[in-house]
Amino acid sequence: MNRLQKLFEKKPTGLLSIYYTAGYPNLNDTLTIAETLEKCGADFLEIGFPYSDPVADGPVIQASSKQALDSGMTLSVLFDQLKDLRKQVKIPILLMGYVNVMLQYGVESFCEKCKEVGVDGCIIPDLPMYEYEEMYRSTFEKYGLSNIFLVTPQTSEERIRKIDGLSNAFIYLVSSSATTGSNLSVSGSASAYFERISKMNLQTPVMIGFGISDKATYQAACNFASGAIIGSAFVKALDQNNLDQSIQNFMVQFKG
């Protein structure tokens, strides 16, 4: 088992994952943010590698991606920044981004580098499930990487069952059809959607993301899942002039 799988076995509920964009707010902040988030109680992290056309992301993460790209962030730069990751950070780390960036780097090279620096898995939202299964699954497994699939309110039960069978860490339950940064309202259709997934009795744990922004939405999500993922709200809270303090101020509402 990798670190991510061990985490879900050890702590099946109440998990908090934080997403942030590599190279934002400053190019070389990536590892510093990871260290501070671990100290502040995050259970695992999702580090986004930026892309010029982030179609699933709202304005906050789009802006952070553009700034990171303008500062010179690339996958090569990111892997160089993470070379000492496991000397300083113990919690599981995922990389999240779009498939074109991974393909341009080379899938084998990407997976090999992930293992080398200590990354535990990946979230590639636009990687088709059949392509992963037929073309890349063996490579991911060769390097001990978990591939995380996304489920939305529109995902069919048949597809969810297929995803469950292909997953070995957790399933990313997208709270709504909106882009990242929208506000979650756990009532009505959202609640029915979460309950529907819960009643499927999946073998794989689920984490809820998109629209989780504060303690109330985090706790609401935890009622239906193993935990929640916070992205846009955290990225928005980062202060490049007082980075550590801004992270601590954000995290205290969850872990204070």
Side-chain angles (χ1 to χ4, degrees), residues 43-112:
D43 292 297
F44 68 95
L45 307 179
E46 299 168 17
I47 302 176
F49 50 88
Y51 180 50
S52 57
D53 188 24
V55 293
D57 294 315
V60 171
I61 292 178
Q62 283 190 24
S64 69
S65 293
K66 183 179 186 306
Q67 184 167 322
L69 289 170
D70 289 347
S71 298
M73 177 52 67
T74 64
L75 264 182
S76 294
V77 170
L78 175 57
F79 283 130
D80 187 57
Q81 291 178 347
L82 296 179
K83 66 181 184 296
D84 293 324
L85 172 70
R86 289 307 171 191
K87 294 179 182 178
Q88 297 158 270
V89 178
K90 305 304 181 188
I91 58 176
I93 300 290
L94 293 160
L95 294 189
M96 183 171 185
Y98 292 89
V99 68
N100 275 356
V101 182
M102 182 179 72
L103 293 177
Q104 288 171 6
Y105 192 87
V107 176
E108 179 97 20
S109 298
F110 175 83
C111 293
E112 184 177 19

Side-chain angles (χ1 to χ4, degrees), residues 192-213:
Y193 160 50
F194 298 149
E195 288 178 358
R196 172 170 65 87
I197 300 297
S198 179
K199 288 177 181 178
M200 289 179 67
N201 295 314
L202 302 175
Q203 64 182 12
T204 310
V206 299
M207 294 284 291
I208 295 176
F210 284 49
I212 313 298
S213 59

Side-chain angles (χ1 to χ4, degrees), residues 8 28 40 49 61 169 176 192 199 243:
F8 277 88
N28 294 313
C40 290
F49 50 88
I61 292 178
S176 73
K199 288 177 181 178
L243 191 60

Side-chain angles (χ1 to χ4, degrees), residues 96-133:
M96 183 171 185
Y98 292 89
V99 68
N100 275 356
V101 182
M102 182 179 72
L103 293 177
Q104 288 171 6
Y105 192 87
V107 176
E108 179 97 20
S109 298
F110 175 83
C111 293
E112 184 177 19
K113 205 68 179 177
C114 282
K115 181 178 182 180
E116 181 182 313
V117 301
V119 167
D120 303 289
C122 302
I123 306 172
I124 314 292
D126 58 340
L127 174 60
M129 181 171 60
Y130 72 91
E131 283 193 17
Y132 169 75
E133 185 177 17

Side-chain angles (χ1 to χ4, degrees), residues 116-207:
E116 181 182 313
V117 301
V119 167
D120 303 289
C122 302
I123 306 172
I124 314 292
D126 58 340
L127 174 60
M129 181 171 60
Y130 72 91
E131 283 193 17
Y132 169 75
E133 185 177 17
E134 296 298 324
M135 300 170 63
Y136 307 125
R137 182 182 184 182
S138 60
T139 306
F140 273 62
E141 291 178 349
K142 174 182 175 182
Y143 293 102
L145 296 176
S146 295
N147 183 49
I148 310 304
F149 293 95
L150 277 66
V151 166
T152 74
Q154 287 72 42
T155 307
S156 69
E157 179 171 345
E158 180 184 10
R159 182 176 174 85
I160 293 170
R161 297 285 183 196
K162 178 75 170 176
I163 286 171
D164 190 30
L166 287 172
S167 300
N168 64 9
F170 72 93
I171 296 171
Y172 192 130
L173 200 61
V174 178
S175 66
S176 73
S177 301
T179 57
T180 58
S182 56
N183 292 321
L184 174 65
S185 175
V186 186
S187 61
S189 59
S191 179
Y193 160 50
F194 298 149
E195 288 178 358
R196 172 170 65 87
I197 300 297
S198 179
K199 288 177 181 178
M200 289 179 67
N201 295 314
L202 302 175
Q203 64 182 12
T204 310
V206 299
M207 294 284 291

